[in-house]
Amino acid sequence: MSGDRIINYNKRLFGPGPVARIPVSGIRGYYARMPPLQGFSMAAAHGVALGFGVALYYKFFMGNPDTSATIQYYKENPPR
């Protein structure tokens, strides 16, 4: 058997195109309605933006509690 002809045995998984993306209505199907590369790129960009947003909130609005606790400990117990 040669690799000239690929037989698609699972139409639901591989679909008529490269991937059978089944769009769902609403926010759950947002990336599935896009072309594959654009959907992946948008998901990655949104993930990075969300990560930076949460990190900035943690650092500046929560005051980085771990660092604050460490600084407070060394103020109360100075090294000898």
Side-chain angles (χ1 to χ4, degrees):
M1 188 175 217
S2 68
D4 296 338
R5 183 165 186 249
I6 297 173
I7 300 171
N8 183 1
Y9 290 109
N10 189 343
K11 299 278 186 208
R12 182 173 170 88
L13 178 62
F14 298 105
V19 179
R21 297 178 320 275
I22 302 169
V24 181
S25 63
I27 192 71
R28 288 182 41 218
Y30 178 71
Y31 302 118
R33 288 189 296 267
M34 296 180 179
L37 182 59
Q38 182 184 7
F40 175 76
S41 301
M42 291 295 291
H46 287 153
V48 168
L50 182 64
F52 276 123
V54 170
L56 289 173
Y57 177 79
Y58 180 80
K59 175 117 178 112
F60 295 112
F61 293 111
M62 290 179 64
N64 202 352
D66 296 333
T67 305
S68 301
T70 305
I71 291 171
Q72 182 65 28
Y73 172 80
Y74 280 107
K75 281 183 182 176
E76 294 173 358
N77 305 304
R80 300 177 205 183

